[in-house]
Amino acid sequence: MGSIEPQQQPSHPNSKLIRQPLKKGTAIDHLEYHDVTPIIGREYPTAKLKEIYDSPDRDDMLRDLAITICERGVVLFRAPQDDLSVDEQKHITELLGKLTGRPEENGLYVHPLWNDPGNWPFVDENGVERRDPNM
């Protein structure tokens, strides 16, 4: 259950790290997981984000989760996560960035397609859901 160590980049006289890469702690090591492939993806079959969110060690756990996401590229939670409110989901997302050093001026945003009327489902007179009401 170790961490993937970052590869050393070739030394260049004009390149300097602003800060050292983050090191994962042990806050989520107790969670059952398996790596989907040797290179990318980690699946947590029983972990519940609500339990992590409500934990007294929430910040450490979310920080380690964020580092794991960066190391593995994608993380999957197989257990149902339907006990999280939308506000809790937003807060978890906000904390994943904040706890790993995201600049303060960056935060959550609304995707440009979110408010696109063509993105809203339309149910026609037959009860069929369509994206374009003119179809």
Side-chain angles (χ1 to χ4, degrees), residues 29-89:
D29 285 355
H30 67 283
L31 298 176
E32 176 189 355
Y33 75 86
H34 75 272
D35 291 335
V36 178
T37 73
I39 298 172
I40 190 171
R42 176 163 293 174
E43 179 178 342
Y44 291 97
T46 59
K48 301 281 289 173
L49 286 169
K50 178 71 170 171
E51 292 172 7
I52 292 172
Y53 186 76
D54 291 339
S55 169
D57 298 323
R58 173 180 70 191
D59 287 358
D60 291 335
M61 293 177 79
L62 288 175
R63 181 181 180 278
D64 284 357
L65 179 61
I67 294 169
T68 300
I69 293 168
C70 290
E71 290 175 347
R72 300 296 303 167
V74 65
V75 170
L76 309 165
F77 291 89
R78 290 291 178 197
Q81 306 293 323
D82 53 359
D83 51 352
L84 276 173
S85 71
V86 171
D87 287 337
E88 289 169 331
Q89 292 175 44

Side-chain angles (χ1 to χ4, degrees), residues 124 130-135:
D124 68 13
R130 302 187 186 277
R131 290 284 173 196
D132 183 355
N134 298 317
M135 291 177 61

Side-chain angles (χ1 to χ4, degrees), residues 91-132:
H91 194 218
I92 286 172
T93 304
E94 179 73 21
L95 288 171
L96 288 172
K98 180 181 177 184
L99 296 170
T100 53
R102 181 205 69 229
E104 285 295 323
E105 64 272 9
N106 296 3
L108 297 178
Y109 68 95
V110 174
H111 193 278
L113 293 180
W114 174 258
N115 289 325
D116 180 356
N119 214 21
W120 299 341
F122 173 82
V123 179
D124 68 13
E125 64 277 358
N126 299 317
V128 177
E129 187 176 298
R130 302 187 186 277
R131 290 284 173 196
D132 183 355

